[in-house]
Amino acid sequence: MKHAFAESRPFLLLSLLFGISYFFVKDSNIPGVYLMAWKGAGVGFLAIYALVRLHRLDGKIVGGIMALGAIGDMALEYDLILGAAAFMAGHLLAIAFYSRFRRHQLGFSQKVFAIILVPLSVLIAWALPEDRSAAAGIGVYCLSVAAMAAMAWTSRFSRYQVGIGAVLFLVSDLLIFARMGPLETSVIPDLLVWPLYYFGQFMIATGIVATLRHEMAADSADPVHA
């Protein structure tokens, strides 16, 4: 237990430190390159956490998903298309990952939610920007994040942690798109986009690691906590 704490908790604490503090410094006069690194560090340390806690292929995949998110966070400060591409790559990797962990039985309401989530999210995202020339691209991007959220929701990972975390990620992106239209002058996106996104990622990473660590412990009959 002491070894587990020593090798993993510092990365979670560093993630929380950078992820939470970024919200308070994002509009400051900190030089761009330092602020960009600060922004990426929150999710970047989640990538390291996954790699350290899961000494197998799954850890590398989850670490890769988080690393692509961190790259997307930083790239958005430089180029929107580059940042979106990094996030889309992460979503596609996450979709492939969740497909390996399907939940065998789903309640009717859960099936309906997952089925409706994707087309409804894409339609909302497409309708939001005032610049209609951007609507198609936004719709395509939203398809990837909505599909990721639906796959997370229907996976056998904790719905109250991984599923909700993925939905928070999706809502954060929809608020970004709303900033291009009806919420252009509203403070709501400024207040909610980063917290929803960061804590969504935090819930996803820790939820996946907790589940897989528990399964590894059960397989070896050695009670280890994530």
Side-chain angles (χ1 to χ4, degrees):
M1 289 296 294
K2 290 181 179 179
H3 178 67
F5 182 89
E7 73 173 3
S8 67
R9 269 44 174 199
F11 298 118
L12 284 183
L13 292 175
L14 285 169
S15 173
L16 287 167
L17 173 64
F18 283 100
I20 294 173
S21 62
Y22 175 74
F23 178 79
F24 299 99
V25 302
K26 61 186 177 68
D27 297 319
S28 67
N29 294 323
I30 296 174
V33 65
Y34 298 109
L35 192 60
M36 189 184 302
W38 197 322
K39 183 181 184 183
V43 176
F45 278 112
L46 291 178
I48 299 174
Y49 166 76
L51 290 170
V52 168
R53 292 300 281 156
L54 293 174
H55 301 289
R56 58 195 238 189
L57 178 60
D58 291 330
K60 294 179 175 62
I61 295 174
V62 178
I65 293 169
M66 293 296 134
L68 286 167
I71 292 169
D73 288 333
M74 294 184 288
L76 283 176
E77 301 301 310
Y78 176 74
D79 182 86
L80 291 177
I81 301 299
L82 187 61
F87 276 117
M88 281 192 69
H91 299 328
L92 294 175
L93 182 58
I95 289 168
F97 176 75
Y98 292 132
S99 69
R100 295 172 46 221
F101 297 92
R102 307 305 305 140
R103 188 180 293 268
H104 297 303
Q105 292 185 339
L106 284 172
F108 176 75
S109 61
Q110 305 301 337
K111 289 181 181 178
V112 171
F113 178 78
I115 291 171
I116 292 177
L117 183 65
V118 177
L120 181 60
S121 299
V122 172
L123 179 61
I124 292 172
W126 175 84
L128 284 172
E130 287 187 2
D131 180 4
R132 300 313 299 159
S133 66
I138 286 173
V140 170
Y141 170 80
C142 188
L143 176 62
S144 71
V145 66
M148 178 278 293
M151 292 293 286
W153 188 262
T154 56
S155 72
R156 59 182 174 84
F157 296 110
S158 170
R159 188 172 291 126
Y160 296 105
Q161 197 166 355
V162 177
I164 290 178
V167 171
L168 291 179
F169 193 146
L170 172 61
V171 173
S172 174
D173 277 350
L174 290 176
L175 284 173
I176 291 175
F177 305 144
R179 186 187 282 157
M180 303 176 183
L183 297 184
E184 183 178 5
T185 60
S186 173
V187 299
I188 293 176
D190 289 336
L191 292 175
L192 295 182
V193 165
W194 179 257
L196 289 174
Y197 162 75
Y198 170 72
F199 285 109
Q201 291 278 54
F202 187 90
M203 291 170 71
I204 291 169
T206 55
I208 291 173
V209 169
T211 297
L212 295 182
R213 289 282 299 179
H214 178 75
E215 292 180 357
M216 291 164 59
D219 290 342
S220 62
D222 181 17
V224 178
H225 299 285

